[in-house]
Amino acid sequence: MSIQNEYLNGLMERVIQRDPSEPEFHQAVREVLTSLAPVVNARPELIEEGVMDCLVEPERIIKFRVPWEDDQGRVQVNRGYRVQFNSAIGPYKGGLRFHPSVNESIIKFLGFEQTFKNSLTGLPIGGGKGGSDFDPKGKSESEVMRFCQSFMNELFKYIGPDTDVPAGDIGVGAREIGYLFGQYKRLRNEFTGVLTGKGLTYGGSLARKEATGYGLCYFTDNMLRAAGRSFEGVDVVISGSGNVALYACEKATQLGGKVVAMCDSNGYVYDKDGIDLALMKQIKEVERLRIRVYAERKPGAEYHEGCSGIWQVPCGIALPCATQNELNEGSAKALIRNGCFAVAEGANMPCTPEAVEVIQAAGLLFAPAKAANAGGVAVSALEMSQNSMRFSWTFEEVDSRLLTIMTELYQNASAAAAQYGLAGNLVAGANIAGFLKVADSMLAYGLV
Ligand code: NDP
Ligand code: 2IT
């Protein structure tokens, strides 16, 4: 779909010309500008006052060297990033990703999307993202610790509980957050809520670990119910087997679905009896092994080499929860052919634009990442509140707030889509609803 506004088309061209080698960032910006054309057509001051031009340019990009010593005593050098994208409605907030594929384009796309996602939660958090091309796979505990400490030796200068509050993402979980928090505390001599996703003994929130996966299922359940459907008795396919995927599996199962397949970057497992989550957690969270071990330990389960084959597994509901652009047009067509009726994005931008077009054209229910996976950052914001209060809520308290946030988010995105004549299009609805609060705040401040 093209952008139905001449100015925004020109802006898109300028974004590409300015940074021609950032395809993921262009992809994310194009989707948002396409959705925002009807808003901008109705409110030309958004262009005249410079909001649209500012929206696509990060407030600040920090890029730094991360030297660390491996177990053989050799110096290794990685690259670190923090993109502070937009602070119109609160301190920059968003995860850190450690993965060999990380580059400026990927961190910019994630920071851009985070701005709208965070606004959608209804909580006062701006958008940011960071990370490194460091690969935690195959590294020892002490190598991971030394890397995290070196990463924080530079990052601490730019973050703070009222400035920028990082958290986890791919390759960054409670272990890495512990090392990062410990180093920040040493350097600043301060115990503050500067990171979220912390361990429960030092300021972490109950239900943060579960929040993205649970929130994804709460959002999906709302979307299904509005269409007279539910998880009950439905086969579900979930890509990935990390933090988001594991807790999506847990909640989808609690809501009556049967998760029949999960994957890692090497291959997928199919279990016709439904994934044994306790076994999967043992393999992935405790022992940190490859997913093929699941099929070795679970009678009746099959392992297949190659992760993209997972979309050939018949299911009613598909939850891509691994990484960007993991579900392409061919995979979308396979899902549709096999009777899938709903796709909800747990990962950030997991469906390619061509896949989204095919899914929407075929009339499937589609929940976009910015809305559907906002539960993680929402509970991060609740962790910030608890840290500020020097208090902690029970699991039930946090979980019930999460459910309310995801339900209201669904209603707001649906309403925004309907208001602009796009009823049922949650991509447009989420982008518009997320944008308006940010844009009105930017206008209020005056831009130059
Ligand atoms: P984890 O590191 O815990 O797990 C990532 C999973 O995805 C692993 O199974 C990994 O397999 C797989 N994966 C990663 N990269 C690739 C790749 N290039 N190709 C195939 N598979 C891959 O990360 P999370 O679960 O935290 O994050 C998953 C997605 O959810 C990401 O898109 C993230 O941005 C998004 N997200 C995360 C939130 C959170 O709170 N953690 C919040 C909102 C969104 P392998 O082990 O083989 O690498
Ligand atoms: O993509 C995301 O929303 C996250 N990785 C979570 C960010 C956070 O600050 O909890």
Side-chain angles (χ1 to χ4, degrees), residues 92-107:
Y92 309 106
K93 180 85 198 85
L96 297 171
R97 176 178 292 190
F98 293 169
H99 192 274
S101 63
V102 162
N103 58 36
E104 204 162 311
S105 172
I106 289 179
I107 300 299

PDB file of all heavy atoms in Angstrom, residues 92-107:
ATOM      1  N   TYR A  92      13.207   8.015  27.907  1.00  0.00           N
ATOM      2  CA  TYR A  92      13.395   6.963  26.896  1.00  0.00           C
ATOM      3  C   TYR A  92      13.265   5.625  27.597  1.00  0.00           C
ATOM      4  O   TYR A  92      13.783   5.424  28.691  1.00  0.00           O
ATOM      5  CB  TYR A  92      14.779   7.053  26.261  1.00  0.00           C
ATOM      6  CG  TYR A  92      15.131   8.436  25.758  1.00  0.00           C
ATOM      7  CD1 TYR A  92      16.044   9.230  26.447  1.00  0.00           C
ATOM      8  CD2 TYR A  92      14.548   8.949  24.607  1.00  0.00           C
ATOM      9  CE1 TYR A  92      16.380  10.501  25.999  1.00  0.00           C
ATOM     10  CE2 TYR A  92      14.879  10.224  24.150  1.00  0.00           C
ATOM     11  CZ  TYR A  92      15.785  10.994  24.851  1.00  0.00           C
ATOM     12  OH  TYR A  92      16.113  12.251  24.421  1.00  0.00           O
ATOM     13  N   LYS A  93      12.586   4.681  26.935  1.00  0.00           N
ATOM     14  CA  LYS A  93      12.368   3.356  27.544  1.00  0.00           C
ATOM     15  C   LYS A  93      12.379   2.326  26.448  1.00  0.00           C
ATOM     16  O   LYS A  93      11.707   2.505  25.419  1.00  0.00           O
ATOM     17  CB  LYS A  93      10.999   3.353  28.264  1.00  0.00           C
ATOM     18  CG  LYS A  93      10.673   2.033  28.934  1.00  0.00           C
ATOM     19  CD  LYS A  93      11.274   1.943  30.322  1.00  0.00           C
ATOM     20  CE  LYS A  93      11.344   0.528  30.853  1.00  0.00           C
ATOM     21  NZ  LYS A  93      12.573  -0.211  30.417  1.00  0.00           N
ATOM     22  N   GLY A  94      13.099   1.263  26.650  1.00  0.00           N
ATOM     23  CA  GLY A  94      13.115   0.176  25.671  1.00  0.00           C
ATOM     24  C   GLY A  94      14.294  -0.734  25.938  1.00  0.00           C
ATOM     25  O   GLY A  94      15.210  -0.387  26.683  1.00  0.00           O
ATOM     26  N   GLY A  95      14.273  -1.887  25.303  1.00  0.00           N
ATOM     27  CA  GLY A  95      15.206  -2.947  25.633  1.00  0.00           C
ATOM     28  C   GLY A  95      16.592  -2.781  25.045  1.00  0.00           C
ATOM     29  O   GLY A  95      16.880  -1.870  24.259  1.00  0.00           O
ATOM     30  N   LEU A  96      17.468  -3.696  25.451  1.00  0.00           N
ATOM     31  CA  LEU A  96      18.804  -3.861  24.885  1.00  0.00           C
ATOM     32  C   LEU A  96      18.838  -5.226  24.212  1.00  0.00           C
ATOM     33  O   LEU A  96      18.409  -6.217  24.808  1.00  0.00           O
ATOM     34  CB  LEU A  96      19.869  -3.827  25.986  1.00  0.00           C
ATOM     35  CG  LEU A  96      20.001  -2.524  26.779  1.00  0.00           C
ATOM     36  CD1 LEU A  96      20.933  -2.732  27.975  1.00  0.00           C
ATOM     37  CD2 LEU A  96      20.513  -1.392  25.890  1.00  0.00           C
ATOM     38  N   ARG A  97      19.341  -5.278  22.981  1.00  0.00           N
ATOM     39  CA  ARG A  97      19.432  -6.552  22.264  1.00  0.00           C
ATOM     40  C   ARG A  97      20.890  -6.922  22.053  1.00  0.00           C
ATOM     41  O   ARG A  97      21.647  -6.117  21.504  1.00  0.00           O
ATOM     42  CB  ARG A  97      18.716  -6.431  20.915  1.00  0.00           C
ATOM     43  CG  ARG A  97      18.849  -7.675  20.048  1.00  0.00           C
ATOM     44  CD  ARG A  97      18.092  -7.558  18.741  1.00  0.00           C
ATOM     45  NE  ARG A  97      16.644  -7.535  18.935  1.00  0.00           N
ATOM     46  CZ  ARG A  97      15.761  -7.635  17.940  1.00  0.00           C
ATOM     47  NH1 ARG A  97      16.188  -7.768  16.691  1.00  0.00           N
ATOM     48  NH2 ARG A  97      14.478  -7.594  18.193  1.00  0.00           N
ATOM     49  N   PHE A  98      21.274  -8.130  22.469  1.00  0.00           N
ATOM     50  CA  PHE A  98      22.615  -8.641  22.182  1.00  0.00           C
ATOM     51  C   PHE A  98      22.469  -9.772  21.161  1.00  0.00           C
ATOM     52  O   PHE A  98      22.009 -10.879  21.498  1.00  0.00           O
ATOM     53  CB  PHE A  98      23.288  -9.205  23.445  1.00  0.00           C
ATOM     54  CG  PHE A  98      23.633  -8.171  24.507  1.00  0.00           C
ATOM     55  CD1 PHE A  98      24.030  -8.587  25.776  1.00  0.00           C
ATOM     56  CD2 PHE A  98      23.583  -6.796  24.252  1.00  0.00           C
ATOM     57  CE1 PHE A  98      24.368  -7.657  26.766  1.00  0.00           C
ATOM     58  CE2 PHE A  98      23.909  -5.859  25.235  1.00  0.00           C
ATOM     59  CZ  PHE A  98      24.303  -6.294  26.502  1.00  0.00           C
ATOM     60  N   HIS A  99      22.862  -9.515  19.935  1.00  0.00           N
ATOM     61  CA  HIS A  99      22.745 -10.528  18.876  1.00  0.00           C
ATOM     62  C   HIS A  99      23.715 -10.125  17.768  1.00  0.00           C
ATOM     63  O   HIS A  99      23.857  -8.920  17.485  1.00  0.00           O
ATOM     64  CB  HIS A  99      21.300 -10.579  18.344  1.00  0.00           C
ATOM     65  CG  HIS A  99      21.020 -11.761  17.463  1.00  0.00           C
ATOM     66  ND1 HIS A  99      21.270 -11.748  16.104  1.00  0.00           N
ATOM     67  CD2 HIS A  99      20.519 -12.996  17.745  1.00  0.00           C
ATOM     68  CE1 HIS A  99      20.929 -12.933  15.594  1.00  0.00           C
ATOM     69  NE2 HIS A  99      20.477 -13.707  16.566  1.00  0.00           N
ATOM     70  N   PRO A 100      24.380 -11.102  17.124  1.00  0.00           N
ATOM     71  CA  PRO A 100      25.376 -10.738  16.099  1.00  0.00           C
ATOM     72  C   PRO A 100      24.808  -9.907  14.944  1.00  0.00           C
ATOM     73  O   PRO A 100      25.561  -9.202  14.262  1.00  0.00           O
ATOM     74  CB  PRO A 100      25.898 -12.094  15.600  1.00  0.00           C
ATOM     75  CG  PRO A 100      25.033 -13.133  16.223  1.00  0.00           C
ATOM     76  CD  PRO A 100      24.359 -12.535  17.405  1.00  0.00           C
ATOM     77  N   SER A 101      23.499  -9.965  14.722  1.00  0.00           N
ATOM     78  CA  SER A 101      22.916  -9.212  13.599  1.00  0.00           C
ATOM     79  C   SER A 101      22.684  -7.734  13.923  1.00  0.00           C
ATOM     80  O   SER A 101      22.307  -6.957  13.042  1.00  0.00           O
ATOM     81  CB  SER A 101      21.564  -9.845  13.211  1.00  0.00           C
ATOM     82  OG  SER A 101      20.661  -9.741  14.311  1.00  0.00           O
ATOM     83  N   VAL A 102      22.896  -7.323  15.158  1.00  0.00           N
ATOM     84  CA  VAL A 102      22.550  -5.942  15.560  1.00  0.00           C
ATOM     85  C   VAL A 102      23.389  -4.913  14.788  1.00  0.00           C
ATOM     86  O   VAL A 102      24.606  -5.039  14.665  1.00  0.00           O
ATOM     87  CB  VAL A 102      22.744  -5.761  17.090  1.00  0.00           C
ATOM     88  CG1 VAL A 102      22.834  -4.289  17.468  1.00  0.00           C
ATOM     89  CG2 VAL A 102      21.589  -6.422  17.847  1.00  0.00           C
ATOM     90  N   ASN A 103      22.686  -3.927  14.246  1.00  0.00           N
ATOM     91  CA  ASN A 103      23.346  -2.781  13.596  1.00  0.00           C
ATOM     92  C   ASN A 103      22.453  -1.552  13.792  1.00  0.00           C
ATOM     93  O   ASN A 103      21.400  -1.641  14.435  1.00  0.00           O
ATOM     94  CB  ASN A 103      23.592  -3.072  12.099  1.00  0.00           C
ATOM     95  CG  ASN A 103      22.304  -3.387  11.361  1.00  0.00           C
ATOM     96  OD1 ASN A 103      21.251  -2.815  11.656  1.00  0.00           O
ATOM     97  ND2 ASN A 103      22.366  -4.303  10.411  1.00  0.00           N
ATOM     98  N   GLU A 104      22.885  -0.415  13.242  1.00  0.00           N
ATOM     99  CA  GLU A 104      22.157   0.826  13.508  1.00  0.00           C
ATOM    100  C   GLU A 104      20.735   0.797  12.947  1.00  0.00           C
ATOM    101  O   GLU A 104      19.798   1.322  13.553  1.00  0.00           O
ATOM    102  CB  GLU A 104      22.941   2.004  12.929  1.00  0.00           C
ATOM    103  CG  GLU A 104      22.610   3.306  13.602  1.00  0.00           C
ATOM    104  CD  GLU A 104      23.671   4.368  13.359  1.00  0.00           C
ATOM    105  OE1 GLU A 104      24.878   4.079  13.542  1.00  0.00           O
ATOM    106  OE2 GLU A 104      23.299   5.488  12.986  1.00  0.00           O
ATOM    107  N   SER A 105      20.564   0.159  11.805  1.00  0.00           N
ATOM    108  CA  SER A 105      19.227   0.087  11.198  1.00  0.00           C
ATOM    109  C   SER A 105      18.262  -0.660  12.116  1.00  0.00           C
ATOM    110  O   SER A 105      17.127  -0.229  12.342  1.00  0.00           O
ATOM    111  CB  SER A 105      19.321  -0.637   9.843  1.00  0.00           C
ATOM    112  OG  SER A 105      18.039  -0.881   9.325  1.00  0.00           O
ATOM    113  N   ILE A 106      18.713  -1.763  12.658  1.00  0.00           N
ATOM    114  CA  ILE A 106      17.845  -2.586  13.509  1.00  0.00           C
ATOM    115  C   ILE A 106      17.516  -1.847  14.804  1.00  0.00           C
ATOM    116  O   ILE A 106      16.357  -1.806  15.241  1.00  0.00           O
ATOM    117  CB  ILE A 106      18.489  -3.974  13.749  1.00  0.00           C
ATOM    118  CG1 ILE A 106      18.429  -4.778  12.437  1.00  0.00           C
ATOM    119  CG2 ILE A 106      17.787  -4.724  14.885  1.00  0.00           C
ATOM    120  CD1 ILE A 106      19.048  -6.152  12.481  1.00  0.00           C
ATOM    121  N   ILE A 107      18.508  -1.206  15.410  1.00  0.00           N
ATOM    122  CA  ILE A 107      18.217  -0.489  16.658  1.00  0.00           C
ATOM    123  C   ILE A 107      17.324   0.729  16.386  1.00  0.00           C
ATOM    124  O   ILE A 107      16.437   1.051  17.181  1.00  0.00           O
ATOM    125  CB  ILE A 107      19.532  -0.081  17.377  1.00  0.00           C
ATOM    126  CG1 ILE A 107      20.369  -1.324  17.718  1.00  0.00           C
ATOM    127  CG2 ILE A 107      19.225   0.711  18.649  1.00  0.00           C
ATOM    128  CD1 ILE A 107      19.716  -2.338  18.642  1.00  0.00           C
TER     129      ILE A 107
END
